[in-house]
Amino acid sequence: MRPTIFHPLHLFDDTVSSINSQHGPWRSMNFFNNFAPELDDLLLVSLLAILVFLWTSHGILWSKPQKGHQLYFISPQLQEPIFKNIGRGPRQSNTRQINDRMTELRKAIIVFWGSQSGTAERLANSFVRECITRFNLPAMAANLDLYDYDQLGELSEGRLVGFVLATYGEGNPTDNATGLYEYLCRIEKSRDRPLSRLRYFCFGLGNSKYQFYNSFVGYVDETLTLSGAQRIAPIGKIDEAQGSDEAWLSWKDEMLKRLAERFGSQENVGKQWPVFDMVNLDNGMTLLSHAAETSTTTNTNQQQFVRVSRSLQLSGSVSKNSRHSLRTYLHIEFDTKIGSQVIQYETGDHVAIWPINPNDEVSLIATQFGWDKKTLKATIDIKPRDSTIHESVAVPVPTPTTREALLQYQLDIRGPISPEILELLASYSPNAAAKEYLDRCRLDPKSRSDISNQHLTCGQLMKQAADGAVWPEDAFSALLSIMPKLRPRYFSVASSPLVDPYSFAITAGLVETPIPQADRWFVGLTTGYLHSLHMKKNQIKENNRRQIPYNLDGPRSILSGYKVFAHVRKSKFKPPVNNEKRIIMIAAGSGIAPFRGFVQERMALSRRGDSVGKMILFYGSRSEEDCLYTDVWSEAEAMGILETHFVFSAQLVNGKKFYVQHKLLEHSETTKRLVQDDGGSVYICGSANMANAVKTSLGMLLGSNEAIQQLRKSRRLQEDVWA
């Protein structure tokens, strides 16, 4: 039997027959007429074709992106390479070898800086600029983090190395100086004096309120000497607790003279300030300036976003009738998961919050230079007039940029006025009267003290001196070289990731200080910024409180929705790894923040059935109103894992103020038993003065200061303190 073969045309023939056999109007129609296009079908097909053409030609034939359009999509922390060929200076290099880099730039002096807050970086750059402009010395400044140290003992003959080093925390190196510290730890055990060819000089920055005052520069100096290096001048040190640059200025002038004599250089007549040219760019470079608005220096940790999810006022009065300072405590919680970004943290870590300058300070300085809104927003490239400076010192700010971005997001225009800024302003005074006034401020100790006590900003001083006269733009160009950059403020984390891994909290203490002679109030930059966010988040408007205006939405509204720039810095201030270890926590004021995280963590562990050691909290505040987080302490006490001892300094005891260190002595037996018998740990958080007083009390009840040292060596005494 012959098989039936299927063919597609058979189906087609059947379909046509079926249609032609139908009754009605369809019967006279040919099959193909059913597919004849109607007018509306033609219009639809044509429209689709046009849309496809427009889509495929986007960015090619029409709507071409401006130069730099891709920068809209680059995170601030990834933007550093953008600037390497547009005035960022010095010339970029792939080498991390000191000798090779000095040969490349034809330099004989390299000055390394180790900086946490930016002060050491500023001083090192200032020193190198004066080397070049005053004495024509072949010097360069360098970030310690960008170099290896294998060639430190092999430098070419005649070359010198300088160190400007800050001491951070408990005698630790700054974040960018850890590589140098690790290198010195390796070679200090060597017996062959590997640095015998090295000639160096050094300067240290520290705070005498801390126990390990300037200890890092001391360690560097000692280790270099033991390794065969020779220091060519006395070591210099500055005590930041004194609030003066006098020690630095004296050491710097003497060191410059020594270097000039060593290299046979003569000082140029008259002091020359390095000036940067601000070159206007075309509109095609505008988007490059956007990248500069939030980029930071290479030694800064990567910036990320966090969003304020909740903000509460814990204590404080809003009345401003008092002549005394007002203190307000805020509890602020941040979401750390924004889109794909997640910031991880541990209990005891620190959070860096990056501030912005208030609008009125930006407007004030702009007015002094006669800048209108168009000038403020114009895109500029910043280049040193002296190419030798460009080869030796980095342009201090990202570029291209705008004047507005510099004032709002880059420069610390509200910071203290240094003697160097006073001298510069006097040099560029717009008239004789302004110069006379600034010279008097510069040379008269009482006038300098008045500037400090009144917390005058640069803009306020310029206005006061010039009395309406417009300052030359060269004054601003020179200020770029010495004005500090904005830096983050660090806060202790006041939460535990065991409670919420995608959120952390901080405790901010806002201090408002009256300045009667100026009829205004002074507030800290970062805490004032956070307070403005708090007010906006909670829709609070208070007529009896002057609101400081901030651009809270940030550049191009990238901070809208209550976001701030922040990053987490790891800390060694951690609860014991063994959760059953007993601990004593001692705090005053906002120093209570990390202990909220400690207690939250052990409460969470206890709830899930883990065994936890008992905690004892000694907490000092001015009054019961200022005793923070009492709900947390009550809950932990109810669980049987916390014992609290509060002390209020406003309540006199026998006519005297009673502080947390006195409370500690009242419970000496409990403290001794926990520390000596139970192997417990002691944690202190608060001001350096409070911490020193507490350690004195601890030494008394433990019998000796050696006991304190033993606790520290075994990591059973930890401090998180500030000046």
Side-chain angles (χ1 to χ4, degrees), residues 635-670:
E635 186 177 358
E637 283 184 304
M639 296 174 66
I641 62 174
L642 179 67
E643 175 185 323
T644 58
H645 301 283
F646 301 130
V647 57
F648 309 117
S649 59
Q651 299 176 3
L652 301 182
V653 178
N654 297 324
K656 297 181 180 180
K657 286 195 173 183
F658 199 69
Y659 294 105
V660 67
Q661 62 265 27
H662 303 131
K663 197 72 171 179
L664 192 64
L665 291 174
E666 274 192 354
H667 298 270
S668 58
E669 290 302 319
T670 302

Side-chain angles (χ1 to χ4, degrees), residues 122 125-127 129-130 132-134 248-249 252 268-277 384-386 389 418-429 435 439 442 474-483:
R122 174 175 61 86
N125 283 328
S126 170
F127 181 82
R129 280 190 289 267
E130 291 206 42
I132 297 169
T133 58
R134 287 178 60 185
W248 160 256
L249 296 174
K252 178 188 69 175
N268 297 321
V269 178
K271 183 164 183 177
Q272 300 179 22
W273 296 98
V275 178
F276 296 90
D277 283 323
R385 289 182 185 172
D386 189 337
I389 294 179
S418 67
E420 200 173 19
I421 289 178
L422 269 175
E423 186 180 359
L424 184 148
L425 291 177
S427 300
Y428 286 94
S429 297
K435 179 171 175 53
D439 280 337
R442 183 169 61 90
D474 273 0
F476 182 74
S477 299
L479 275 172
L480 288 177
S481 67
I482 63 173
M483 182 170 281

